[in-house]
């Protein structure tokens, strides 16, 4: 077993950290930089920044946020939202990102996955999938932050993404996102059972024990947390402790 | 010639900025350069790198840096290779057939892809945090640039190849990946390498980089 990674996810709009429910109804929380620093100090294994409106407006203030964060935060950073081209990827990596998460642009042009993984390595290419349940055991891929239907089946798209060169999958359940009801275990398991690359479960973490379920039942390799951390309902240290107590292997970390 | 504390080799392989920022965080005056004269006179040299071994060696050759780095190493300048940069310190790599390395620490880079890992459901590349421990030949990290790191602290790894070192005494530390014992830190005199990314390993990684400046 590898260590299960505990990832803090920060959704941003313009220059502010926001949090929604089902990726909608966004609430403004504050300066993402301050939150990022707190999670770094608490022992997050990685950070994910997603610009939730970049796809709509085609521009991103994200590079600035990433650049500032990278001056003070020394853990891997994945950045997504509005990334459409090799140039966009290069800009993000130049600003301090280690990986990029791509959803909409990959759905529109799957060859982008091939290009990014060839040019920067598959470890850099995270396929972001926003999944919405349509029927029992059936999920559809959504783009533009849960707003547009794509017609793609999530399980098939995950498989295809891996074949095209994605190194990791960020799997967000739109149904659970922001609800604190726990992860969609069925969805997570449906993906982890068909791909060989790591899957980050995202959406619905309401309490530390939700992590235990998505790792033991969903077989997630990593867990993204937002709401739980942003509203200080738990610290990463508490989540780490809960994981350890349940026998889940996590990084040894002592806060400094 | 150079007013900096450390020169980071700029040869187009990977995210050099992260390495520079981490070194700056350690209080260093950092210069990014591919100029042979600047590198020759550097008080310390860091060779970072993400990507393919043969491409990296070809780039170093194109920039006439192979002999420069070998000269720097021979003169006793502290040299730190990170990730692919560490593997380049070796004699050769089996990535894409066989490629010749800098030959500064004897050994070769071999693939992580072994059948036993697959059986255990472990993935290649090895991506994530792994705890590092002193190697059998190295009971004590005192006096090395691992001095401030505790056995069992975790570092961030991203790699598909690992070093196989000829002289076990040159391996200071390892991590476990499945049943593989992966060299995490190698060292011979003034030449050092780490397989993980200290610039992405949080405060633990920064402790190691800070110590590099007191070597």
């Amino acid at each position: 077993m590898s260590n299960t990674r505990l990832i803090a996810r920060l959704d941003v709009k313009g220059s502010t950290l926001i949090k929604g429910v089902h990726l909608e109804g966004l609430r403004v929380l504050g300066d993402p930089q301050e939150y990022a620093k707190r999670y770094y100090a608490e022992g997050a294994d990685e950070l994910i920044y997603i610009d939730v409106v970049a796809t709509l407006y085609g521009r991103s203030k994200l590079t600035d946020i990433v650049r500032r964060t990278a001056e003070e935060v020394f853990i891997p950073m994945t950045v997504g939202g509005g990334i459409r081209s090799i140039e966009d990827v290069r800009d993000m990596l130049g600003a301090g990102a280690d990986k990029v998460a791509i959803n909409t642009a990959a759905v529109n042009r799957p060859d982008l996955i091939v290009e990014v993984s060839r040019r920067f390595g598959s470890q850099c290419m995270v396929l972001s999938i926003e999944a919405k349940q349509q029927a029992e055991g059936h999920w559809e891929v959504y783009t533009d932050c849960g707003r547009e239907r794509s017609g793609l089946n999530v399980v098939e798209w995950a498989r295809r993404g891996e074949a095209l060169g994605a190194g990791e999958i960020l799997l967000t359940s739109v149904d659970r996102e922001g609800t604190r009801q726990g992860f969609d275990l069925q969805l997570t398991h449906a993906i982890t059972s068909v791909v060989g690359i790591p899957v980050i479960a995202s959406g619905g973490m309401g309490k530390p024990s939700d992590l235990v379920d998505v790792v033991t039942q969903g077989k997630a390799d990593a867990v993204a947390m937002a709401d739980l951390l942003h509203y200080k309902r738990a610290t990463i240290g508490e989540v780490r402790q809960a994981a350890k107590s349940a026998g889940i292997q996590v990084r040894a970390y002592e806060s400094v | 010639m150079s007013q900096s504390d450390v020169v980071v080799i700029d040869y187009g392989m990977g995210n050099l900025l992260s390495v520079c920022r981490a070194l700056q965080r350690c209080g260093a005056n950092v210069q990014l350069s591919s100029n042979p004269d600047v590198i020759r006179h550097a008080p310390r040299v860091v060779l970072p790198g993400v990507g393919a071994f043969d491409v990296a060696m070809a780039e170093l050759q194109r920039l006439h840096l192979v002999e420069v780095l070998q000269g720097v190493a021979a003169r006793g300048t502290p040299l730190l290779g990170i990730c692919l940069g560490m593997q380049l310190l070796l004699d050769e790599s089996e990535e894409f057939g066989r490629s010749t390395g800098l030959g500064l620490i004897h050994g070769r880079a071999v693939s992580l892809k072994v059948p036993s890992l697959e059986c255990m459901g472990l993935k290649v590349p090895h991506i994530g945090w792994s705890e590092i421990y002193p190697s059998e030949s190295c009971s004590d990290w005192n006096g090395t640039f691992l001095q401030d790191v505790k056995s069992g602290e975790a570092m961030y790894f991203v790699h598909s190849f690992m070093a196989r070192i000829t002289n076990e005494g040159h391996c200071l530390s390892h991590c476990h990946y499945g049943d593989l014992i992966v060299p995490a830190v190698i060292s011979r005199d003034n030449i050092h390498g780490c397989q993980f990314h200290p610039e992405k390993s949080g405060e633990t990684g920064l402790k190691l980089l800070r110590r590099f400046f007191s070597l």
Side-chain angles (χ1 to χ4, degrees), chain B residues 103-181:
Chain B
L104 299 174
I105 294 182
H106 290 312
R108 59 200 307 251
V110 299
S111 177
L112 278 180
K113 272 193 187 146
V114 294
S116 61
L117 282 194
E118 230 170 289
C119 295
M120 285 182 258
L122 288 170
K123 294 157 184 176
V124 174
H126 164 213
I127 302 181
W129 294 81
S130 293
E131 290 76 28
I132 65 166
Y133 303 96
S135 298
E136 267 179 39
S137 58
C138 170
S139 54
D140 194 353
W141 286 339
N142 266 326
T144 75
F145 73 136
L146 280 169
Q147 182 168 325
D148 306 317
V149 178
K150 276 179 266 169
S151 170
E153 285 196 275
M155 301 286 193
Y156 186 74
F157 289 78
V158 181
H159 62 124
S160 303
F161 285 76
M162 60 176 258
R164 187 170 288 153
I165 302 298
T166 310
N167 178 345
E168 280 178 24
H170 292 155
C171 186
L172 296 185
S173 160
H174 65 263
C175 73
H176 297 280
Y177 195 55
D179 59 350
L180 288 177
I181 294 177

Side-chain angles (χ1 to χ4, degrees), chain A residues 2-3 40 45-46 67 70-72 74-76 93-99 123 196-198 221 251-252 254 256, chain B residues 15 17-18 21-22 25 50 120 122-123 125 127-131 150 152 154 156 158 177 199-203 206:
Chain A
S2 311
N3 286 334
Y40 175 63
D45 292 332
E46 296 184 30
R67 187 170 289 120
E71 283 164 13
E72 300 185 83
F74 299 95
I75 50 174
L93 299 184
D98 299 278
K99 323 177 201 180
Q123 84 290 334
I197 52 179
D221 299 272
R251 160 166 76 119
E254 289 170 36
V256 275
Chain B
N15 194 356
L17 281 175
S18 298
R21 285 198 187 96
R25 181 70 166 196
V50 172
M120 285 182 258
L122 288 170
K123 294 157 184 176
I127 302 181
W129 294 81
S130 293
E131 290 76 28
K150 276 179 266 169
Y156 186 74
V158 181
Y177 195 55
E199 77 281 11
K200 289 288 168 184
S201 296
E203 298 300 314
L206 296 183

Side-chain angles (χ1 to χ4, degrees), chain A residues 26-37:
Chain A
L26 311 175
R27 252 186 81 178
V28 171
L29 291 174
D31 180 1
Q33 168 91 351
E34 292 307 311
Y35 285 80
K37 276 159 64 180

